C-alpha cells in the first residue's frame, strides 16, 4: 500500500487530503474521484496506525477515514489523531443502522462529519456520489476544529457525556404554545444535542432538520431523546406532537408541517420533491411552519455548510416568527448561519451555549 503520494496536485485553494481505507480498491477509487475534482491527495493509508504516521508526515487539511479496518480501526485512529495531530476528519461509513451507530461514536471522538457510502464497505457506488463526496471533503477541510472540540468536550455543557438528560434543566414559563424549527448540517449532531439538552421544559414543541441519510435519523433521534428532557422521536407520515415533544426529520424525505390545532402539530412526509440539493431540507419545513402555525414560532439555524434554511428563515421572519442563528465563533462550519443572516431575516445571533435560553427567553 502506498503511503505519501501527490496525485496530480490540487487547484489553487483546494484542500490537501489523506485517504484512509483498508481496501486498496477503495483507496484508489476515492483518491481518483478527489483528484479528478482538483483535490490534492497527498497520502494514503491502509489502517489507523499507518494513518497516524502519514498524517504526521504530510500535515493534510482533511482526512477521509474508513471505520472498519484491521489492527487500529477508524474509531481509535480518530481519537489518537485528535490527541497527536489534530486534523479535520470525514468518516466514511456504511449506509446502515450499524454504520449509523459507529458513525455517531466517531463524531463523539472528534470526527467533524461523515459520508455514508452507498452499497457497502467496498462498492463502486461511491462514484455515483462523487460530487457529494468532494463537497463533503471541501466542507470538512474548512471546519473550525477548535469550535468542534469545545462543542464536544466542554465539561460545563449540558450535552457533555457526563450530564444526565435534563438533570440541570429547569422548567420555563412562556406565553402560550411555542413551536421551534431547528436547522443544522455539518457539525450539527453535537450542536443540536447541546441545544436540546439545555432547553428548559416548557409548552414547547420542536422539529429538528439535520442533514442526514435515512438510516441515520432514527438513531439520531434516540441519542437526542437520551440527552434531553423532551420526548424525541423520528418523524413519520402523519405524526403529531405537542408540548415537550420533538420530531427529527426523517432522512430521504422532506418534513412539512401539515396542520396545527390546539397546541398540537401534524407533519407530512414528502419523498417526491427532488428540487432541493439536500433531503431533508430545512427550507421546506420552515416555509410550511410559516404558512401553518399561528401561535408563537421560532426558527433556529445552527452550524452547517450550504444555503439550506436561508429561504426558510426569511419566510419565518416574514410571518412574524423570532429567528436566531448560531455565531460564527461557535460554528464548526459558518455556512448556513451566514447565508441566513445575509437574507436579513435573522433577528439575533447567539453563541451555541446561549441558543436554548434564547429560544424560550423571548428576546431577540
Amino acid at each position: 500500500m502506498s503511503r505519501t503520494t501527490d496525485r496530480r496536485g490540487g487547484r489553487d485553494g483546494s484542500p490537501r487530503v489523506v485517504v484512509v481505507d483498508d481496501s486498496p480498491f477503495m483507496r484508489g477509487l476515492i483518491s481518483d474521484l478527489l483528484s479528478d475534482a482538483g483535490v490534492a491527495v497527498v497520502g494514503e493509508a491502509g489502517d489507523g496506525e499507518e494513518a497516524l504516521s502519514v498524517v504526521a508526515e504530510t500535515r493534510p487539511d482533511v482526512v477521509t477515514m474508513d471505520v472498519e479496518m484491521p489492527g487500529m480501526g477508524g474509531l481509535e485512529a480518530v481519537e489518537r489523531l485528535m490527541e497527536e495531530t489534530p486534523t479535520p476528519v470525514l468518516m466514511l461509513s456504511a449506509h446502515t443502522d450499524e454504520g449509523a451507530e459507529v458513525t455517531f461514536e466517531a463524531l463523539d471522538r472528534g470526527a467533524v462529519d461523515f459520508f455514508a457510502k452507498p452499497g457497502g464497505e467496498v462498492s463502486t457506488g461511491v462514484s455515483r456520489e462523487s460530487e457529494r463526496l468532494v463537497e463533503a471533503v471541501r466542507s470538512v477541510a474548512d471546519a473550525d476544529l477548535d469550535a468542534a472540540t469545545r462543542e464536544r468536550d466542554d465539561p460545563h455543557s449540558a450535552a457533555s457525556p457526563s450530564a444526565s438528560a435534563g438533570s440541570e434543566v429547569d422548567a420555563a414559563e412562556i406565553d402560550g404554545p411555542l413551536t421551534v424549527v431547528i436547522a443544522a448540517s455539518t457539525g450539527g449532531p453535537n450542536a443540536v444535542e447541546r441545544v436540546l439538552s439545555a432547553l428548559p421544559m416548557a409548552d414547547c414543541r420542536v422539529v429538528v432538520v439535520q442533514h442526514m441519510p435515512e438510516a441515520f435519523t432514527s438513531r439520531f433521534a434516540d441519542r437526542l431523546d437520551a440527552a434531553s428532557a423532551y420526548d424525541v422521536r423520528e418523524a413519520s407520515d402523519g405524526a403529531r406532537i405537542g408540548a415537550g415533544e420533538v420530531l427529527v426529520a426523517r432522512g430521504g424525505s422532506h418534513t412539512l408541517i401539515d396542520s396545527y390545532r390546539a397546541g398540537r402539530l401534524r407533519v407530512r412526509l414528502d419523498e417526491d420533491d427532488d428540487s432541493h440539493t439536500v433531503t431533508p431540507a430545512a427550507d421546506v419545513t420552515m416555509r410550511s411552519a410559516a404558512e401553518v402555525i399561528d401561535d408563537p414560532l421560532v426558527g433556529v439555524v445552527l452550524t452547517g455548510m450550504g444555503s439550506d434554511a436561508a429561504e426558510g428563515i426569511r419566510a419565518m421572519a416574514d410571518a412574524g416568527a423570532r429567528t436566531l442563528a448560531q455565531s460564527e465563533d461557535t460554528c464548526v462550519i459558518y455556512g448556513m448561519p451566514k447565508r441566513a443572516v445575509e437574507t436579513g431575516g435573522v433577528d439575533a445571533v447567539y453563541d451555541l451555549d446561549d441558543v436554548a435560553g434564547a429560544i424560550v427567553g423571548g428576546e431577540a
Side-chain angles (χ1 to χ4, degrees):
M1 64 186 69
S2 61
R3 291 176 58 82
T4 59
T5 63
D6 200 343
R7 304 165 69 99
R8 287 173 275 172
R11 303 186 185 109
D12 291 343
S14 287
R16 301 169 65 256
V17 183
V18 165
V19 175
V20 184
D21 199 298
D22 65 314
S23 163
F25 170 77
M26 289 303 296
R27 284 200 308 276
L29 176 61
I30 293 167
S31 296
D32 285 342
L33 292 174
L34 294 176
S35 297
D36 288 346
V39 175
V41 178
V42 298
E44 298 177 6
D47 57 47
E49 191 70 46
E50 186 181 27
L52 296 177
S53 174
V54 173
V55 170
E57 182 178 349
T58 60
R59 299 287 174 160
D61 301 303
V62 61
V63 177
T64 68
M65 181 77 72
D66 190 26
V67 175
E68 300 293 339
M69 295 182 291
M72 184 187 295
L75 293 179
E76 184 181 354
V78 168
E79 193 167 20
R80 287 274 303 275
L81 197 62
M82 293 304 110
E83 294 172 354
E84 299 173 14
T85 316
T87 307
V89 174
L90 176 71
M91 299 302 298
L92 270 63
S93 57
H95 200 295
T96 62
D97 291 340
E98 293 77 11
E101 183 72 30
V102 73
T103 296
F104 284 117
E105 186 173 349
L107 295 176
D108 287 341
R109 296 194 186 197
V112 171
D113 201 3
F114 64 92
F115 174 87
K117 293 188 290 189
E121 285 294 322
V122 179
S123 171
T124 57
V126 174
S127 299
R128 298 192 301 271
E129 300 284 346
S130 60
E131 290 186 8
R132 187 168 64 87
L133 173 62
V134 172
E135 182 182 24
V137 166
R138 292 184 185 278
S139 175
V140 168
D142 289 335
D144 184 339
L145 211 55
D146 290 337
T149 301
R150 289 194 303 270
E151 181 181 285
R152 191 178 65 252
D153 296 337
D154 183 356
H156 301 295
S157 166
S160 64
S162 61
S164 59
S167 60
E168 299 179 1
V169 177
D170 297 326
E173 293 292 334
I174 59 176
D175 295 330
L178 177 66
T179 300
V180 182
V181 181
I182 299 175
S185 185
T186 310
N190 288 333
V192 172
E193 182 175 336
R194 190 156 178 155
V195 170
L196 286 186
S197 66
L199 188 65
M201 181 55 68
D203 186 0
C204 178
R205 69 270 317 120
V206 183
V207 179
V208 173
V209 185
Q210 166 71 50
H211 297 163
M212 195 173 280
E214 184 175 359
F216 287 61
T217 45
S218 176
R219 178 64 187 121
F220 183 45
D222 291 342
R223 283 173 60 90
L224 296 179
D225 186 62
S228 170
Y230 283 64
D231 179 13
V232 186
R233 63 185 186 276
E234 183 187 44
S236 58
D237 195 45
R240 291 175 169 84
I241 59 169
E245 296 180 309
V246 179
L247 284 181
V248 173
R250 178 186 293 177
S253 61
H254 301 296
T255 297
L256 296 89
I257 310 302
D258 192 48
S259 64
Y260 177 82
R261 295 183 183 88
R264 290 185 65 79
L265 63 82
R266 179 180 183 273
V267 301
R268 173 169 56 88
L269 303 189
D270 183 356
E271 298 180 358
D272 298 324
D273 182 356
D274 59 359
S275 62
H276 300 268
T277 58
V278 291
T279 309
D283 279 331
V284 174
T285 305
M286 288 179 159
R287 283 198 301 263
S288 66
E291 294 170 359
V292 171
I293 296 173
D294 50 13
D295 279 329
L297 181 62
V298 177
V300 181
V301 184
L302 300 179
T303 175
M305 65 178 179
S307 60
D308 185 37
E311 292 181 7
I313 207 74
R314 180 70 258 180
M316 292 183 74
D318 290 344
R322 288 191 296 116
T323 53
L324 321 174
Q326 185 178 346
S327 67
E328 181 175 7
D329 287 346
T330 62
C331 277
V332 176
I333 298 287
Y334 188 59
M336 285 169 54
K338 181 176 185 239
R339 296 292 185 87
V341 169
E342 288 173 349
T343 70
V346 172
D347 293 324
V349 173
Y350 291 92
D351 288 349
L352 182 60
D353 283 340
D354 297 326
V355 170
I359 288 173
V360 297
E363 298 179 358

